[in-house]
């Protein structure tokens, strides 16, 4: 079973001019559902298509068009909820959120305000220092994405592309349980990891497929504990919402800036206005989106075009039964079955593809050794060329083959690195390459002994020095290794050198 | 619930409908008539009655996840007052 014992991290303390402050953060993460077609139309969700080509009349809000729900999007939302150990609501409903913007042809976004499909859940967010935060999920609801406005193609006009209009988003709303910028980034990373394992969102932040609104407030030490005891928000400070962030780095910078801005206002005797703000990465600051405030009256009401969404418990159970192994479980299993360190298991399970690669390469072999080779050699080499694991020219079977040769003592660690390079650049079966290119380690002590004898005979001066200073024996080992093309077993060489020099 | 002139002005603004100040009293009065009519529903006793969303036993219609629509940018753009390079073009809006 999953080991849930963990120590919670300390909240980030920010020193003000007068006293210390603590951060309180809640997040609304918008994750684009991986599906072929949109939430309510049959148009494609493919990224990068010609402008306005993935648009049905439902998406462009032509009069008389009616939305028909894509049941796979519903399934994906349920799957995500199950992955976050959340309650699934068998009855949910759609509401209209009304506002005007050129990239929203309907004049409203279909969302789920009153009856979301997923209720309360939780995510364990591990931090680098061995601590972990349990972040509560308040809800997940489905909604339509808006189109895309482009403001820099013309000095006087904004251009609108409706390809993204109507694509299904999941909005994942957390409780204010996040206590620092690093935790905020780790929380998004964990959600991304879980959704990539589930196959419900590709997590591509650059394309905007995963983005977050971050609610930030500050409070005096002690206040947050009062909130947690009572769940009464009045113990916390007034929050500001930083909209639409799609970079982990910028999220952290924006939180830092926003906290300091709020502290400066409060320490000067001012009050925080609850408002929506935008982060400007060039200037490194957040600024108010006042224009958005005025239109904040969304006049939600149930969408009369859509019946409530009723799903069957049996269907949910079926999705639950087919859930893949989740990151926390996989990591715990790697630690247990392959005796990996917590750190190595985290690295290997970060991406589902890496975990699958490792598992194949380690099957029936020394897990720790296989992990070292996957993490240090393969990941290192891939990173150098900016490739990810799916682009690896070395297969798990090939890497496993190299590990076998090391375990059998056929090749030394050093030769193994040369062999890895050959397999990486040229391909081929590792055992065959070792055989053909005569890379096998020399374990025959007779051969090593004669090589040592030769080196000793050729360097009488060094022999004298080594007898005075035994540390110089290493020089002989090096010479023998060189003479044998690195194929001698270094341990045997060392022993024989020591013996022959009489050290 | 009663709608005064400033509420009427706000509703008009949110709906992006231009209403002259002179017309606001009449608009507010019309809203009140409509709301008054609907409020008659409040007289019905619905204690113990499940909320009903349809008078026929219907279930939400569903679709399979297949691309069956789109690929008609010309038709989609045909009503656009202004279009450039395949985009709808609107007066500049920047946050």
């Amino acid at each position: 079973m999953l080991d849930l014992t963990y120590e919670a991290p300390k909240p980030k303390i920010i020193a003000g001019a007068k006293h210390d402050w603590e951060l309180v953060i809640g997040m609304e993460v918008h994750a684009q559902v991986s599906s072929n077609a949109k939430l309510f139309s049959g148009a494609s969700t493919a990224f990068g298509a010609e402008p306005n080509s993935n648009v049905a009349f439902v998406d462009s809000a032509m009069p008389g068009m009616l939305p028909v729900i894509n049941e796979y999007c519903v399934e994906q939302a349920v799957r995500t909820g199950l992955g976050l150990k959340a309650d699934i609501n068998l009855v949910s409903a759609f509401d209209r959120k009304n506002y005007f913007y050129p990239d929203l042809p309907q004049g409203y976004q279909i969302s789920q305000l009153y009856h979301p499909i997923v209720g309360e859940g939780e995510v364990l967010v591990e931090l680098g220092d061995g601590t972990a935060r349990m972040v509560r999920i308040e809800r997940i609801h489905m909604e339509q994405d808006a189109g895309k406005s482009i403001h820099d193609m013309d000095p006087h006009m904004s251009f609108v592309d409706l390809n993204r209009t109507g694509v299904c988003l999941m909005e994942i709303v957390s409780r204010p349980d996040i206590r620092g910028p690093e935790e905020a980034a780790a929380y998004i990373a964990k959600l991304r990891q879980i959704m990539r394992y589930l196959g419900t969102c590709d997590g591509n932040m650059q394309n905007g497929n995963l983005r977050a609104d971050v609610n930030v407030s500050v409070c005096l030490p002690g206040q947050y504990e009062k909130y947690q005891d009572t769940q009464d928000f009045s113990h916390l400070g007034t929050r500001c919402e930083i909209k639409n962030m799609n970079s982990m780095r910028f999220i952290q910078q924006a939180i830092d800036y926003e906290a300091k801005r709020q502290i400066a206002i409060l320490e000067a005797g001012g009050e925080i206005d609850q408002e929506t703000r935008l982060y400007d990465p060039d200037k490194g600051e957040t600024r108010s989106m006042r224009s958005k405030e005025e239109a904040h009256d969304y006049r939600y009401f149930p969408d009369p075009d859509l019946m409530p969404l009723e799903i069957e418990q049996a269907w949910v159970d079926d999705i639950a039964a087919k859930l893949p192994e989740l990151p926390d479980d996989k990591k715990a299993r790697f630690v247990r079955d392959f005796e990996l360190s917590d750190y190595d298991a985290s690295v290997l399970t970060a991406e589902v593809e890496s975990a699958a690669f490792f598992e194949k390469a380690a099957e029936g072999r020394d897990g720790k050794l296989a992990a070292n080779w996957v993490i240090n050699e393969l990941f290192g080499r891939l990173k150098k060329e900016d490739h990810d694991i799916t682009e690896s020219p070395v297969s798990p079977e090939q890497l496993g083959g190299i590990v076998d040769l090391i375990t059998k003592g056929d090749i030394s660690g050093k030769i193994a690195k040369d062999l890895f390079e050959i397999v990486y650049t040229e391909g081929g079966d590792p055992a065959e390459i070792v055989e053909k290119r005569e890379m096998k380690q020399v374990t025959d002590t007779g051969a090593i002994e004669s090589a040592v004898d030769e080196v000793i005979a050729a360097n009488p001066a060094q022999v004298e020095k080594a007898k005075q200073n035994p540390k110089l024996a290493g020089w002989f080992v090096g010479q023998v290794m060189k003479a044998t093309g690195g194929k001698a077993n270094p341990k045997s060489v060392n022993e024989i050198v020591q013996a022959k020099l009489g050290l | 619930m009663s709608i005064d002139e400033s509420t009427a002005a706000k509703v008009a603004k949110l709906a992006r409908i231009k209403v002259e100040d002179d017309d606001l009293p009449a608009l507010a009065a019309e809203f009140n008539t409509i709301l008054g009519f609907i409020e008659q529903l409040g007289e019905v006793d619905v204690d113990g009655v499940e909320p009903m969303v349809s008078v026929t036993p219907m279930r939400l219609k569903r679709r399979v996840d297949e691309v069956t629509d789109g690929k008609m940018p010309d038709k989609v753009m045909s009503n656009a007052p202004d279009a450039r390079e395949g985009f709808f073009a609107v007066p500049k809006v920047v946050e």
Side-chain angles (χ1 to χ4, degrees), chain A residues 91-212:
Chain A
V91 179
S92 63
F94 292 95
D95 306 292
R96 291 185 179 179
K97 176 182 180 179
N98 300 278
Y99 66 95
F100 272 97
Y101 207 71
D103 58 24
L104 188 78
Q106 286 170 157
Y108 57 85
Q109 176 193 34
I110 304 178
S111 182
Q112 295 189 301
L113 178 69
Y114 300 111
H115 303 286
I117 184 155
V118 178
E120 294 185 334
E122 59 187 25
V123 188
L124 186 66
V125 179
E126 286 159 309
L127 296 147
D129 61 0
T131 60
R133 177 81 70 197
M134 187 64 90
V135 177
R136 294 170 298 159
I137 302 294
E138 184 184 324
R139 56 187 282 157
I140 305 175
H141 61 257
M142 289 186 282
E143 62 186 23
Q144 296 174 302
D145 205 348
K148 194 176 169 202
S149 298
I150 301 160
H151 304 295
D152 57 4
M153 284 177 72
D154 185 283
H156 309 292
M157 310 295 279
S158 289
F159 287 5
V160 178
D161 175 9
L162 300 183
N163 282 347
R164 222 178 52 190
T165 306
V167 170
C168 181
L169 300 180
M170 296 178 281
E171 181 171 327
I172 305 168
V173 183
S174 86
R175 302 273 184 200
D177 290 353
I178 301 161
R179 307 300 314 283
E182 298 78 18
E183 286 184 37
Y187 168 71
I188 294 223
K190 187 61 182 278
L191 284 185
R192 179 178 182 275
Q193 183 193 30
I194 291 171
M195 290 189 288
R196 284 176 55 82
Y197 267 64
L198 294 169
T200 56
C201 169
D202 70 13
N204 188 330
M205 296 187 80
Q206 228 163 6
N207 290 356
N209 296 354
L210 188 65
R211 44 194 202 267

Side-chain angles (χ1 to χ4, degrees), chain B residues 5-49:
Chain B
E5 283 177 40
S6 71
T7 310
K10 190 185 169 202
V11 171
K13 186 174 181 190
L14 287 170
R16 298 298 189 276
I17 293 171
K18 188 177 179 182
V19 178
E20 300 298 341
D21 286 351
D22 291 349
D23 298 331
L24 283 174
L27 185 65
E30 272 179 45
F31 274 145
N32 282 320
T33 310
I34 295 166
L35 287 175
F37 175 71
I38 292 168
E39 269 164 20
Q40 292 179 66
L41 289 172
E43 293 164 15
V44 182
D45 179 9
V46 290
D47 267 1
V49 178

